[in-house]
């Protein structure tokens, strides 16, 4: 799970968002409680324009790891983007 998460993070940094989402999804199939993979996939979704997917994954990351404030910031940004698109 950790290897797929790490690859997903590298793919996101490289702008290969579809591949990043695929790797984070593989990580989550192996460990459905991997809050880092949910947050990473949320970031990739947001960068690819899938704001609803980003919010959904940030919600899951927050439910698993409520002390990680970065997930609240990411979700807040996604809500802001969604609000500006309406």
């Amino acid at each position: 799970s950790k290897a797929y998460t790490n690859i997903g993070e590298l793919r996101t940094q490289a702008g290969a968002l579809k591949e990043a989402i695929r790797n984070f999804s593989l990580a989550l199939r192996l460990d459905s409680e991997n809050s880092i993979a949910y947050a990473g996939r949320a970031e990739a979704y947001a960068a690819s324009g899938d704001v609803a997917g980003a919010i959904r994954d940030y919600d899951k990351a927050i439910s698993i790891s409520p002390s990680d404030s970065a997930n609240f910031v990411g979700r807040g940004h996604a809500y802001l983007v969604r609000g500006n698109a309406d």
Side-chain angles (χ1 to χ4, degrees):
S1 173
K2 185 175 172 100
Y4 285 120
T5 301
N6 291 341
I7 293 168
E9 290 173 351
L10 292 171
R11 296 287 186 250
T12 300
Q13 292 171 5
L17 301 174
K18 287 182 183 180
E19 291 84 2
I21 291 167
R22 185 174 20 252
N23 279 280
F24 289 125
S25 296
L26 288 169
L28 291 165
R29 282 190 208 140
L30 296 172
D31 178 6
S32 64
E33 296 297 305
N34 183 340
S35 66
I36 296 169
Y38 276 111
R41 191 171 71 175
E43 182 182 341
Y45 277 143
S48 68
D50 182 354
V51 177
I55 291 169
R56 182 180 59 245
D57 275 2
Y58 278 126
D59 284 344
K60 186 65 177 173
I62 289 166
S63 73
I64 295 168
S65 185
S67 63
D68 188 346
S69 61
N71 294 327
F72 288 95
V73 172
R75 184 177 67 177
H77 183 260
Y79 275 120
L80 180 65
V81 169
R82 186 180 75 177
N84 288 339
D86 290 343

